[in-house]
Amino acid sequence: MRTTRGRFRLRSAALAATLGAGLLLAPLPAQQAVAASTLTNTGFEADGTGTATPSGWSTYSAAGQNAASFTEAGGRSGGHRLSHWSSSAYKVETYQYLSGLADGTYTLSAWVRSGGGQNAAYLALRNCGSAEQRTDLPVTSSSWIRVVTSVKVVGGGCTVSINSDANAGNWLNVDDLAFTAGSTGLGVKGVDLSALKKNEDFGAAYKNASGGAGDPVALLKGAGANYGRLKVWVNPADGYNTKAQVLATAKRIKAQGMKLLVDFHYSDIWADPGAQTKPAAWAGHSYAQLKTDVYNHTYDVLNALKAQGTTADMVQIGNEINTGMLWPEGSTSNWTQLAGLLKSGVSAAKAVSSSTQIALHLANGGDNALYRTWFDNATAQGVSYDVIALSFYGYWHGALSSLQANLDDVSARYGKKVMVAETAYPFRLDSKDAHENIIDLPSELVSGYQASPAGQSAWLRDVMNVVEAVPNGRGLGVVYWEPAWTAVTGNGWDPTDPSSGNAWENQALFDYDSRLLPAANWFAHR
């Protein structure tokens, strides 16, 4: 942390004297610890403060910068941690070689912090008889975050490695590592393509990273996406996001070998925590009629998808329903009625396909108190579901550590899979059209993540890393929201106003020249 830098400078002379006056001036050979089959000194407690090569570990720097790796007070648990830091640019690796392992898949977990800014800062599993696996450290200057990476061990050996390629003053902390049998990964690496049909109808075209024309669904699948998400409105003013458009885009998604997530808003327009407006056709209906409306609408859309051979693999019963749906009857102020509406949707989805997974979706993914209150009520009312889905936008919903704490808690508390059903991040701040973007000021950004292609990539990578680290394999995946919603005249924010602009094009995964951005490549990661 930044608060320890001054203390490090005060003890740097003593550290140099202990380790040798020439340590900072000339390269030292790698100091190889004795290999074992169990990771040792995982909390860096064996040596106290100021040790460049902790007990059980080895340190290497081609430029003789071993002192950039050191133990110091302030562990996540216990009294100490490993830190990488130097007042000048540095490259250093702290590692431990394991031998005598049974062949199989293993997972490394560690608690980490980083101030960001490095050329590279990551954990790695290498020399394991298979391809090296890495997990980059997220930018989190105050709170610890757990990250994981897994590898297939062939031949009995594996190196656990902590790496920095850093600029002057960049730092990281690592503590409480574990190396255990098992694997990690994400089952859902999704893209919300709800705006795609209208975008293309109004002239949008898409290109690969090199500028060659391509089908956007195929381009995203080629980058590693394996799920497509489509929202459904009942009778919207612009005629899009209805059953007809969902059916058409679902064919394209399934033709690419991707799975399908259908997101029911139960509205004619955007549904979110601040707006859950009933469809105009249902406006005068009683609560009993609304339950029938939900069932019939859900069944109609899903059965049509099944009939054309594109059965939904997952269904959201409502969109960002923090405050309920179909207000006022389905407000959270009347949980009995809200539960009845949810049960109608669940019953319809399961009647079409018993294997379709049911997700319940809230926003504010870092707010654990909200999730506990909401899902305690859903549980008490006997609402059946399979997945807890969250929206998490870091510029609105808090720190990555808050997301992790919430995911860990609710997955264990309710015994459910969890997923981030919506996230996104800008690759620039200016608008391509005349409409002001939702995020368009430097002050609105998440600390450590620039509005750049690299910053967008790092954000998606780190959200995926947090979900992957949910214990017991309950981290299901991540869906990027509207990656193909580029600025096209006619496809604006307001479906009731054809002249409205797009407030989101700077968070798409296609740039202002319609080229696929580097962030999309993270879908291929595990």
Side-chain angles (χ1 to χ4, degrees):
M1 286 181 64
R2 287 166 289 185
T3 55
T4 67
R5 301 285 71 81
R7 296 200 302 273
F8 176 77
R9 293 187 188 97
L10 291 174
R11 58 180 164 72
S12 61
L15 179 60
T18 301
L19 299 176
L23 180 63
L24 300 176
L25 302 176
L28 292 180
Q31 300 176 17
Q32 178 65 60
V34 176
S37 60
T38 303
L39 199 63
T40 61
N41 195 16
T42 56
F44 304 100
E45 301 298 326
D47 308 285
T49 294
T51 303
T53 304
S55 175
W57 294 85
S58 301
T59 304
Y60 178 71
S61 171
Q65 299 167 304
N66 295 52
S69 167
F70 53 91
T71 55
E72 64 178 340
R76 188 195 75 91
S77 65
H80 296 86
R81 68 195 181 211
L82 177 76
S83 294
H84 286 181
W85 177 85
S86 177
S87 60
S88 58
Y90 64 95
K91 294 182 181 180
V92 71
E93 176 188 13
T94 309
Y95 66 95
Q96 191 170 150
Y97 179 70
L98 302 177
S99 65
L101 299 169
D103 286 355
T105 303
Y106 292 82
T107 293
L108 173 71
S109 67
W111 289 88
V112 302
R113 296 189 296 198
S114 172
Q118 298 95 334
N119 301 313
Y122 60 92
L123 306 180
L125 295 173
R126 56 183 183 80
N127 303 325
C128 305
S130 61
E132 177 177 327
Q133 296 295 315
R134 296 182 178 183
T135 293
D136 295 86
L137 271 63
V139 180
T140 168
S141 59
S142 59
S143 301
W144 293 89
I145 287 181
R146 184 184 61 257
V147 295
V148 297
T149 187
S150 62
V151 73
K152 183 177 182 181
V153 172
V154 179
C158 192
T159 298
V160 174
S161 177
I162 303 161
N163 297 263
S164 290
D165 176 359
N167 302 299
N170 294 159
W171 62 271
L172 63 77
N173 301 149
V174 178
D175 203 3
D176 297 335
L177 295 98
F179 185 78
T180 56
S183 63
T184 65
L186 295 175
V188 174
K189 292 169 281 189
V191 286
D192 189 311
L193 298 174
S194 300
L196 177 59
K197 181 69 168 65
K198 186 174 180 181
N199 234 43
E200 290 179 325
D201 285 352
F202 280 85
Y206 299 88
K207 304 172 185 176
N208 61 28
S210 300
D215 173 73
V217 184
L219 291 174
L220 291 163
K221 169 62 188 307
N226 65 1
Y227 245 92
R229 179 179 187 248
L230 298 174
K231 70 171 174 275
V232 188
W233 289 340
V234 177
N235 188 26
D238 63 358
Y240 284 89
N241 298 297
T242 62
K243 180 175 74 170
Q245 284 77 34
V246 168
L247 288 169
T249 307
K251 283 185 178 181
R252 296 173 64 182
I253 289 168
K254 290 280 190 170
Q256 292 295 331
M258 300 166 69
K259 292 186 176 182
L260 176 64
L261 165 57
V262 179
D263 171 19
F264 285 95
H265 283 225
Y266 301 111
S267 180
D268 292 335
I269 198 168
W270 303 102
D272 56 45
Q276 294 286 335
T277 306
K278 282 181 286 191
W282 305 358
H285 290 188
S286 66
Y287 169 65
Q289 288 174 306
L290 288 172
K291 287 198 295 181
T292 301
D293 292 332
V294 168
Y295 186 96
N296 290 343
H297 172 61
T298 306
Y299 187 93
D300 179 49
V301 174
L302 296 180
N303 194 50
L305 285 165
K306 180 179 179 181
Q308 73 170 10
T310 59
T311 300
D313 299 281
M314 189 184 302
V315 171
Q316 284 179 219
I317 305 301
N319 185 78
E320 296 189 334
I321 51 176
N322 305 32
T323 51
M325 64 187 202
L326 293 168
W327 290 347
E329 288 82 1
S331 166
T332 49
S333 62
N334 189 333
W335 253 101
T336 300
Q337 290 193 172
L338 172 57
L341 295 170
L342 293 170
K343 290 175 182 178
S344 287
V346 172
S347 296
K350 290 294 187 179
V352 174
S353 171
S354 61
S355 63
T356 294
Q357 297 285 288
I358 303 298
L360 299 180
H361 173 217
L362 310 186
N364 304 87
D367 187 347
N368 183 238
L370 163 69
Y371 279 72
R372 279 190 167 215
T373 299
W374 202 98
F375 281 96
D376 280 356
N377 276 298
T379 300
Q381 293 290 333
V383 179
S384 176
Y385 64 97
D386 304 296
V387 177
I388 296 174
L390 309 84
S391 291
F392 186 76
Y393 299 96
Y395 37 74
W396 293 328
H397 297 155
L400 284 167
S401 56
S402 298
L403 171 65
Q404 180 164 81
N406 191 32
L407 290 171
D408 289 359
D409 179 69
V410 298
S411 64
R413 184 177 180 87
Y414 305 107
K416 302 294 184 180
K417 297 270 191 177
V418 290
M419 65 180 288
V420 172
E422 293 185 20
T423 194
Y425 204 77
F427 62 89
R428 59 194 293 170
L429 291 175
D430 62 314
S431 296
K432 187 177 182 182
D433 61 15
H435 192 83
E436 180 182 7
N437 287 331
I438 288 178
I439 302 298
D440 64 348
L441 297 173
S443 60
E444 295 172 323
L445 298 173
V446 179
S447 178
Y449 297 88
Q450 297 299 311
S452 66
Q456 183 187 58
S457 293
W459 178 257
L460 179 56
R461 176 199 73 198
D462 292 346
V463 171
M464 293 175 75
N465 285 346
V466 166
V467 177
E468 186 182 20
V470 175
N472 300 310
R474 289 190 174 129
L476 186 57
V478 175
V479 178
Y480 196 94
W481 196 71
E482 292 287 13
W485 192 12
T486 56
V488 176
T489 302
N491 189 13
W493 188 257
D494 185 354
T496 69
D497 180 6
S499 66
S500 64
N502 186 349
W504 202 262
E505 76 270 18
N506 67 325
Q507 299 194 61
L509 291 182
F510 292 88
D511 68 16
Y512 286 4
D513 292 321
S514 301
R515 297 188 184 203
L516 189 67
L517 284 157
N521 294 323
W522 281 103
F523 292 125
H525 181 61
R526 283 199 295 277

